[in-house]
Amino acid sequence: MAQSAPTDQPATAAPTTQGDKDIIVTGSSLKGVAPVGSALTTLGHAQIENTAAQSVQQILKSVPAVTGLQSPSQGSSGSADGSGTNAPTIHGLGASASNSTLVLMNGHRLPTSGVNHALADPNIIPTIALERVEVLADGASSVYGSDAVAGVINFITRKNFNGFEVDAQHGFGSSYHTNSAAAMWGKTWDTGSILAAYSFSDRSNLAASSRSYSRSLNLTSLGGTNQSTNKCGTLAPSATGITGTNCSPTAWDLLPSEVRHTAYLQFRQDVGDKLHIVADFDYANRRNVQNISRGSATATIYGVGSTPPAGSSINPFFTGSGATSAVVNFDGNALLGKGATSTGTAEDFYAHLDATYDLTPAWSINVGGLIGRDRSQLISAGTINSGTFNLAVNGYTSASINGNNQSVSQVLTTANAFDPFNGRTSAATLAALTDSTTFYNTVQTVRNAYAKISGDLFTLPAGAVKLAVGGELLGYGIDQSHTALNGLGGASTSSVYIPLKYGRNVQSAYGELYVPLVKDGFVKSLAVNVSGRFDHYSDFGTTTNPKVGANFEPVRGIKFRANWSRSFVAPSLMSIGANSSGQTGESVFSYQAGTGVAGGLSNVPLSLYPSASAIPGAVCSATTCNLNNVFGGEIQGGNAKLKPQTGTDWSVGFDFTPVQVPGLRISMTYWSDALRNGITSPTSAYAFGAASLSNLLTLYPGGATAAQIAAAQGALPQSGATPSAVYYIYNYTQNNVLNLNVAGIDFEAMYHFNTGIGNFTLDGSFTRKTKFEQWFGTDGTHFSVLGTAGFNTTFPSLKTEGRANIGYDKGAFNAVLGVNYEGPYMWWGSGVMNPITRNAAGVPTGGGDHVKAFTTVDLHVSYTLKDFGALKKANLYVDATNLFNKNPPFVNQAANNGAVGYDTNSANPLGRVVSIGIRSNF
């Protein structure tokens, strides 16, 4: 269980070499000084071993302040990136394009990862090499710079290890299995050490068909709705006589398979009495494969006796039935079956060199640098190609290539036409329907050089006044390429190659001052810490961020703390784009009906858009218009005009460690975060709720001209066939539009005591959010999403998450029983059955579907055999997660692949997984 670290010393600190006797703790640049005014939660090495985790992602589930307590810890959790990148987030404050949690290894940045995002993934670190994990849930940009609004997660590796350690385990569950192995070797000598670690894990996929709540498109038996109305192919006539559906269960995966290799090498050496050198290297690669839906496509089919539009052709399979045309909404799974896949890979390399020179016993200078590189790839294959589908249904497809409208036509015959009626489509045409392979390849690099001087300025009666000043140079580069469909045919003959290059340089200077005002006087202690940092970015300018914190201990055993800070998150390079147009790998100009626009165009307010009533096909009331059946365009991608997201954070709390009750510790913190200018792609509801965002939707009652469309599209690739008339263009690019006021309480308690029958440890921690208020734009209406999920997709705002443990050990036997609790909440996402109520401004005020609380039980049991043959010791263990095999609470949610039946961001579909393992030392 996570524990708060005492603020006067680092928690679970490892033995140190001569050059490392003053350890830097997360949140401070001063040696031997923990972050003043803040609580530092630590997972020590023993707690890490008790999780039997195969990845860092699984370890973090033990910390309720980190979002994802009940998540499966497999796949792209928190990132929405197809390559499988994991992005841990503190208190749910941002993810994907605007993650506000900084991830470090040994106090330094990691390479960013992802095909369409730039996020640090800590899973590149072998779990066997971890000494502890420190979580600081407070703003820390004054020390670290960008990303530390919600806080910092620092992964600290082991050192000074002698011998050889191995760990192997096999896990199994219903239609699921895992295998993992890890090894570590280390050797120490008087002036240094070397350590090498490697881990391997292989986790299977989890098919949707293996879970009762996901195997069927019809969720009515579970209390939901029949999702087949949205997921099955249909024939809708423009005249009478055509009916029918085309539906089958979807062969897709809830979770991808995952194979991961990670390796770590560390070298430490003291050169004389004053120079101390540390070098570490990390390598990792990962491969995820997920079966996905074949997808769907829509086109109009023309029969004998009709007059198709110019370029289109009569389909020879459409005869009789009294109709001359129909709309074909085709789902490929029934006809084509399993075969579409999404394959994500990542390969990472990291190298870091650090040197500390002791100028005097009280002062030292520290210099170093690091380089990192990540190559992430995503290959999607086997899905329906809308361009070849159009050609096979009506003989015509069109697209805009480099701003020029182009089209392809063919005369349909029984050899090249698609038959949606009686399955007479030729094998060649069926193969062409899934000629749709797309490929992303993204290489991200980081370079960092730093220098710092720190030491004791002078000594007060309460102790030494400490100062640290330093500077950094930081550079990021991204080389991204995307091979995509161009809309005119099969991927093998009609693809477009899009290369993009991004870059950023940062110069920084910072300082930190620690002042102990009182010690063992009229009060036990009083200390103040002040820090600040200046950062200059090559793409958007400068930012300055201060922090002040204080610890007050009136008597021994009770400590009060408080801090205030200002922090920021620099716009991701994948958000700000590669050029003045803000182009990214996700940039596209798509044509679609209003239902396809993010959020839909069903409630367009006439007060903001009075011309909406003049659009052909609009269905209007006195106050709003429904444009869902009107065709238009949508712009997706980055934005070159983005500016930093800013955060103002403060917290107050106490730590209670009474001397009268040895082994007892209680910690509580009230925290408040105000995030401004958060980056997100605003849905139509946001534009309708704030006059400052009304320019995101532009209406053209008479139809947009070719020049207006070209100006909006620019050089962006096109998705979807060009409609005969374009009546709107919606700007769905990323913008600084999200504002949050979030607050809550973090509580931790631990009591360790000895009895005549063994040692017991009782511990628990929980996070309780008390506020999650948000608004969009400068004048949007404030509303609360506290206790909801789905509205902000990767921003779940659940009220309560917690974990409690009972631990027992006696001699060689050890057992830990853990209970995970996720409180009830309201579902505001897709598939909601009880409509969300909205006020006149269009913001939600209630409604939604109630989701039950989710409680699971974990069990860890181990027994250590000493002098077991050639082994110094052998630790045999069994771990069971979700011991009672409890299903996640039902949610009437449908994903792109099919019906899901649970909240994919906040629940775990794996059920009970039992792992049996052995850990040995040689």
Side-chain angles (χ1 to χ4, degrees):
M1 171 52 59
Q3 305 171 31
S4 289
T7 52
D8 56 353
Q9 63 179 359
T12 60
T16 61
T17 63
Q18 182 179 356
D20 192 37
K21 55 191 175 184
D22 292 323
I23 295 175
I24 296 294
V25 182
T26 305
S28 175
S29 57
L30 293 164
K31 290 182 178 181
V33 177
V36 175
S38 300
L40 188 65
T41 298
T42 299
L43 278 172
H45 183 66
Q47 288 89 9
I48 292 172
E49 288 191 339
N50 286 346
T51 65
Q54 299 176 10
S55 69
V56 167
Q57 194 173 349
Q58 291 174 299
I59 293 172
L60 290 175
K61 290 175 60 178
S62 299
V63 185
V66 179
T67 301
L69 175 72
Q70 295 278 26
S71 68
S73 299
Q74 187 168 331
S76 55
S77 173
S79 77
D81 191 275
S83 70
T85 297
N86 166 245
T89 305
I90 295 174
H91 291 152
L93 281 178
S96 188
S98 54
N99 195 353
S100 302
T101 298
L102 177 63
V103 177
L104 304 173
M105 181 172 72
N106 293 328
H108 299 284
R109 291 178 181 265
L110 294 170
T112 52
S113 178
V115 292
N116 278 317
H117 298 88
L119 300 164
D121 187 345
N123 283 317
I124 68 173
I125 308 169
T127 55
I128 196 172
L130 284 175
E131 174 63 33
R132 66 187 190 275
V133 180
E134 295 181 342
V135 179
L136 178 74
D138 270 323
S141 288
S142 64
V143 174
Y144 298 110
S146 178
D147 305 339
V149 172
V152 181
I153 304 176
N154 191 8
F155 298 89
I156 299 168
T157 56
R158 298 168 73 175
K159 50 187 172 288
N160 299 333
F161 177 80
N162 274 303
F164 189 66
E165 180 176 311
V166 295
D167 190 346
Q169 61 174 279
H170 171 70
F172 53 91
S174 174
S175 303
Y176 180 78
H177 66 269
T178 70
N179 290 289
S180 70
M184 184 173 68
W185 170 83
K187 183 174 178 59
T188 64
W189 52 91
D190 289 343
T191 58
S193 65
I194 187 171
L195 180 147
Y198 165 78
S199 70
F200 163 80
S201 70
D202 182 355
R203 294 192 274 180
S204 72
N205 66 311
L206 182 68
S209 59
S210 69
R211 296 297 181 261
S212 60
Y213 45 84
S214 298
R215 69 168 58 107
S216 173
L217 294 169
N218 190 341
L219 300 177
T220 55
S221 64
L222 301 172
T225 60
N226 188 349
Q227 303 289 336
S228 64
T229 56
N230 298 320
K231 297 297 176 184
C232 299
T234 62
L235 293 173
S238 57
T240 59
I242 302 298
T243 60
T245 61
N246 183 15
C247 182
S248 75
T250 304
W252 65 288
D253 291 339
L254 295 173
L255 297 175
S257 65
E258 179 184 279
V259 176
R260 186 185 298 274
H261 301 265
T262 56
Y264 176 74
L265 176 66
Q266 178 193 97
F267 176 77
R268 309 174 70 86
Q269 182 63 54
D270 294 347
V271 182
D273 294 332
K274 295 186 176 183
L275 179 61
H276 318 288
I277 297 173
V278 179
D280 50 359
F281 308 88
D282 191 271
Y283 172 81
N285 71 58
R286 169 184 43 78
R287 178 182 175 87
N288 291 4
V289 180
Q290 184 169 17
N291 295 302
I292 60 176
S293 169
R294 290 286 192 172
S296 60
T298 301
T300 302
I301 187 170
Y302 301 99
V304 176
S306 66
T307 304
S312 296
S313 176
I314 291 174
N315 190 308
F317 296 118
F318 189 9
T319 59
S321 72
T324 56
S325 67
V327 175
V328 178
N329 297 316
F330 176 69
D331 180 271
N333 297 287
L335 179 63
L336 302 171
K338 184 177 179 180
T341 58
S342 176
T343 302
T345 63
E347 183 178 49
D348 291 87
F349 171 78
Y350 167 94
H352 169 232
L353 180 63
D354 182 276
T356 299
Y357 186 79
D358 296 330
L359 300 170
T360 70
W363 284 87
S364 65
I365 184 169
N366 173 241
V367 297
L370 64 86
I371 57 172
R373 180 180 184 272
D374 171 272
R375 178 187 291 275
S376 294
Q377 296 182 335
L378 174 63
I379 301 174
S380 177
T383 57
I384 297 295
N385 182 328
S386 61
T388 57
F389 180 76
N390 291 335
L391 284 170
V393 171
N394 60 43
Y396 177 82
T397 189
S398 65
S400 177
I401 309 297
N402 296 324
N404 300 313
N405 288 326
Q406 299 183 35
S407 63
V408 175
S409 299
Q410 67 177 7
V411 177
L412 294 179
T413 68
T414 56
N416 63 11
F418 174 69
D419 176 18
F421 304 100
N422 297 308
R424 294 166 291 182
T425 309
S426 69
T429 300
L430 286 178
L433 289 179
T434 56
D435 183 6
S436 60
T437 300
T438 60
F439 178 70
Y440 280 94
N441 180 71
T442 303
V443 177
Q444 304 194 44
T445 58
V446 60
R447 308 171 310 279
N448 180 215
Y450 57 87
K452 178 185 70 175
I453 185 170
S454 61
D456 299 346
L457 278 177
F458 51 86
T459 301
L460 295 175
V465 175
K466 296 179 180 292
L467 174 70
V469 294
E472 287 189 73
L473 298 175
L474 184 64
Y476 290 103
I478 301 178
D479 192 345
Q480 181 185 49
S481 61
H482 180 200
T483 302
L485 304 173
N486 68 7
L488 298 180
S492 56
T493 58
S494 301
S495 288
V496 59
Y497 176 72
I498 305 171
L500 298 169
K501 289 183 179 295
Y502 313 70
R504 166 181 288 165
N505 293 308
V506 188
Q507 297 88 41
S508 307
Y510 63 89
E512 182 177 358
L513 180 68
Y514 169 76
V515 182
L517 298 175
V518 178
K519 185 174 183 180
D520 296 326
F522 61 95
V523 296
K524 179 64 178 176
S525 67
L526 175 64
V528 175
N529 185 290
V530 179
S531 57
R533 183 179 174 110
F534 171 86
D535 296 276
H536 174 74
Y537 281 73
S538 59
D539 46 4
F540 64 79
T542 63
T543 178
T544 303
N545 295 277
K547 181 173 184 175
V548 59
N551 287 342
F552 173 54
E553 191 175 1
V555 295
R556 183 182 177 186
I558 185 166
K559 181 177 293 183
F560 297 96
R561 44 184 164 72
N563 75 87
W564 173 93
S565 66
R566 193 166 63 224
S567 301
F568 77 104
V569 180
S572 165
L573 285 175
M574 296 285 199
S575 296
I576 208 167
N579 50 38
S580 59
S581 300
Q583 187 172 1
T584 72
E586 294 180 306
S587 294
V588 68
F589 186 85
S590 61
Y591 288 114
Q592 54 201 331
T595 51
V597 172
L601 297 180
S602 60
N603 294 291
V604 179
L606 287 170
S607 59
L608 292 177
Y609 307 96
S611 63
S613 60
I615 292 178
V619 179
C620 300
S621 67
T623 57
T624 64
C625 286
N626 186 323
L627 304 181
N628 277 347
N629 293 320
V630 176
F631 276 87
E634 182 179 80
I635 310 168
Q636 302 175 20
N639 183 348
K641 297 180 181 179
L642 291 176
K643 55 187 178 181
Q645 306 162 94
T646 59
T648 301
D649 314 303
W650 62 269
S651 70
V652 295
F654 69 87
D655 302 312
F656 182 51
T657 53
V659 295
Q660 298 87 353
V661 188
L664 174 64
R665 178 180 179 82
I666 299 174
S667 175
M668 181 178 288
T669 303
Y670 179 84
W671 51 269
S672 175
D673 296 321
L675 181 71
R676 300 292 182 266
N677 298 312
I679 296 173
T680 188
S681 295
T683 66
S684 60
Y686 307 157
F688 301 160
S692 61
L693 301 181
S694 61
N695 62 338
L696 297 176
L697 176 65
T698 305
L699 301 180
Y700 304 92
T705 65
Q708 289 171 324
I709 294 173
Q713 180 172 359
L716 300 183
Q718 176 178 317
S719 173
T722 305
S724 58
V726 173
Y727 292 107
Y728 68 84
I729 294 177
Y730 186 76
N731 183 353
Y732 193 47
T733 59
Q734 297 182 46
N735 278 274
N736 293 102
V737 297
L738 175 64
N739 304 293
L740 299 173
N741 287 332
V742 185
I745 296 171
D746 290 342
F747 175 86
E748 300 177 19
M750 181 183 71
Y751 182 42
H752 178 81
F753 57 96
N754 301 323
T755 70
I757 59 172
N759 304 315
F760 288 87
T761 301
L762 309 177
D763 55 46
S765 61
F766 71 82
T767 290
R768 171 77 176 188
K769 295 185 181 71
T770 59
K771 178 189 289 187
F772 211 115
E773 178 187 60
Q774 65 183 57
W775 66 99
F776 296 89
T778 58
D779 56 350
T781 302
H782 293 222
F783 61 98
S784 174
V785 294
L786 181 64
T788 72
F791 189 81
N792 289 321
T793 59
T794 54
F795 291 78
S797 44
L798 311 187
K799 280 186 179 180
T800 306
E801 293 180 277
R803 180 178 171 92
N805 286 338
I806 301 176
Y808 170 79
D809 68 89
K810 181 176 177 60
F813 179 77
N814 176 58
V816 180
L817 182 72
V819 179
N820 309 290
Y821 175 77
E822 186 175 82
Y825 59 93
M826 299 303 294
W827 176 249
W828 280 9
S830 64
V832 61
M833 296 181 292
N834 183 26
I836 299 172
T837 58
R838 297 178 183 271
N839 62 16
V843 301
T845 57
D849 301 338
H850 177 77
V851 180
K852 297 178 180 179
F854 190 25
T855 303
T856 59
V857 176
D858 301 336
L859 177 65
H860 168 85
V861 178
S862 68
Y863 190 84
T864 301
L865 301 172
K866 295 184 178 180
D867 298 323
F868 187 63
L871 308 178
K872 292 181 180 178
K873 65 176 182 178
N875 180 252
L876 308 177
Y877 60 88
V878 176
D879 276 88
T881 58
N882 195 351
L883 180 65
F884 299 111
N885 199 30
K886 192 171 183 179
N887 284 340
F890 175 73
V891 173
N892 188 55
Q893 181 182 196
N896 291 333
N897 289 300
V900 181
Y902 71 101
D903 181 354
T904 55
N905 284 319
S906 303
N908 188 341
L910 289 175
R912 178 173 53 240
V913 177
V914 178
S915 299
I916 301 173
I918 180 171
R919 184 181 299 114
S920 302
N921 290 79
F922 295 84

